[in-house]
């Protein structure tokens, strides 16, 4: 099981980041976990966090009845060191969940995110997420609308 998780994590770090694009502030992203709709996320730039830009996002459940906060760290790359400038433009990067992140799984349950690592693509992002208390890793993807 641990070997499978390691392979999935390595694949998520390598494959999506090759065609990744930057997270845009105040965008609306439809989230899918294991190919099932898991709500809508709205990220907002919060601050410069050294090697990354910290975004605070509001993740609404499937019926827009409740929301959870999920802090995301967008990795800076050479030539794109300004978090404010990066919130308006596209550039190759990856996103990881910060210490505090809660979201919704494919069944609509509000859960703590143990870790999430995604690469950004032209219209959103894709990668893996592990919810606390679940023994398996799920795939996660988001599409801007």
């Amino acid at each position: 099981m641990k070997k499978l998780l390691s392979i999935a994590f390595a694949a998520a770090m390598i494959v999506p980041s090759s065609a990744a694009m930057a997270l845009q502030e105040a965008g609306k992203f439809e989230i899918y976990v294991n190919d099932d709709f898991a709500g809508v996320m709205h990220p907002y730039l919060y601050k410069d966090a050294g090697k990354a830009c910290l975004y605070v996002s509001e993740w609404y459940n499937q019926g827009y009845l409740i929301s959870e906060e999920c802090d995301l760290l967008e990795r800076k790359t050479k030539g794109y060191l300004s978090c404010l400038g990066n919130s308006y433009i596209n550039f190759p990067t990856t996103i990881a969940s910060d210490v505090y992140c809660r979201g919704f799984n494919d069944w609509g349950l509000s859960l703590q995110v143990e870790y999430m690592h995604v690469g950004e693509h032209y219209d959103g992002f894709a990668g893996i997420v592990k919810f606390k208390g679940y023994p398996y890793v799920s795939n996660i993807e988001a599409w801007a609308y």
Side-chain angles (χ1 to χ4, degrees), residues 66-136:
I66 59 173
S67 68
E68 292 286 0
E69 179 181 336
C70 183
D71 297 347
L72 303 172
L73 290 169
E74 179 184 60
R75 188 92 173 154
K76 293 180 186 177
T77 62
K78 185 176 180 180
Y80 299 97
L81 301 178
S82 165
C83 290
L84 182 60
N86 291 349
S87 67
Y88 299 111
I89 59 173
N90 288 332
F91 66 98
T93 189
T94 59
I95 299 174
S97 57
D98 197 16
V99 176
Y100 186 81
C101 183
R102 290 188 64 90
F104 300 95
N105 69 357
D106 47 345
W107 291 21
L109 298 174
S110 172
L111 299 166
Q112 182 177 348
V113 174
E114 197 169 309
Y115 65 86
M116 176 172 56
H117 190 86
V118 298
E120 296 171 282
H121 55 71
Y122 180 69
D123 261 349
F125 54 83
I128 59 169
V129 62
K130 169 123 177 21
F131 293 104
K132 189 170 184 176
Y134 279 70
Y136 56 87

Side-chain angles (χ1 to χ4, degrees), residues 11-94:
M13 289 183 67
I14 295 168
V15 176
S17 62
S18 63
M21 300 308 275
L23 186 64
Q24 292 188 356
E25 183 177 26
K28 296 178 183 178
F29 296 93
E30 287 186 352
I31 306 294
Y32 293 86
V33 175
N34 294 330
D35 298 326
D36 290 324
F37 184 63
V40 176
M41 183 182 284
H42 303 271
Y44 299 94
L45 178 63
Y46 182 64
K47 69 176 186 174
D48 188 318
K51 293 183 178 183
C53 301
L54 177 61
Y55 284 80
V56 175
S57 63
E58 193 167 8
W59 187 341
Y60 291 93
N61 71 343
Q62 289 87 327
Y64 268 87
L65 301 174
I66 59 173
S67 68
E68 292 286 0
E69 179 181 336
C70 183
D71 297 347
L72 303 172
L73 290 169
E74 179 184 60
R75 188 92 173 154
K76 293 180 186 177
T77 62
K78 185 176 180 180
Y80 299 97
L81 301 178
S82 165
C83 290
L84 182 60
N86 291 349
S87 67
Y88 299 111
I89 59 173
N90 288 332
F91 66 98
T93 189
T94 59

